[in-house]
Amino acid sequence: VQLQASGGGLVQAGGSLRLSCVVSESIFSINILGWHRQRPGKEREFVAAIMRNGMTNYIPSVRGRFTISRDGAKNTMYLQMNSLKPEDTAVYYCNAGPGSWAQGTLVTVSS
């Protein structure tokens, strides 16, 4: 599976961004699609996932602010990020299972 992430940028605290991840095959054939991030000086961490059956999962620090979704017609997964905080600053990666990673997209949230 090949993935291409986009949508990062610079935004002020409280602002919003939407990340996109285009997938090379039907997203409904993939068991788990997810977003991870690597904050400065930290290890990569899980952020959110959407299962094949549509169920979603989030880490507590983003629940209620971030929304993961998918569009089968476009084979694209999204991460809508609202109420962004400086601590959300990170390189964000999308993932479609072991070894299937996109290049990262940088999100910078200024205070």
Side-chain angles (χ1 to χ4, degrees):
V1 178
Q2 294 183 329
L3 308 167
Q4 185 169 6
S6 62
L10 174 63
V11 64
Q12 289 189 329
S16 299
L17 280 175
R18 188 178 77 160
L19 305 183
S20 299
C21 178
V22 179
V23 184
S24 63
E25 61 185 63
S26 171
I27 59 174
F28 294 117
S29 70
I30 299 171
N31 288 329
I32 302 175
L33 285 165
W35 288 97
H36 293 66
R37 68 186 180 187
Q38 187 163 15
R39 296 184 284 177
K42 308 268 184 159
E43 294 188 353
R44 192 177 298 190
E45 63 178 349
F46 166 79
V47 176
I50 184 164
M51 316 304 171
R52 196 175 192 175
N53 63 7
M55 291 185 65
T56 58
N57 190 26
Y58 302 89
I59 55 172
S61 62
V62 308
R63 191 173 292 122
R65 299 189 297 122
F66 291 11
T67 302
I68 190 170
S69 63
R70 60 188 178 180
D71 183 336
K74 297 181 179 179
N75 278 343
T76 301
M77 172 178 65
Y78 302 100
L79 186 68
Q80 177 67 43
M81 305 186 295
N82 298 329
S83 302
L84 281 161
K85 303 176 181 180
E87 53 264 42
D88 294 318
T89 294
V91 178
Y92 284 74
Y93 301 87
C94 58
N95 172 263
S100 293
W101 292 93
Q103 85 292 348
T105 186
L106 176 63
V107 172
T108 303
V109 184
S110 64
S111 56

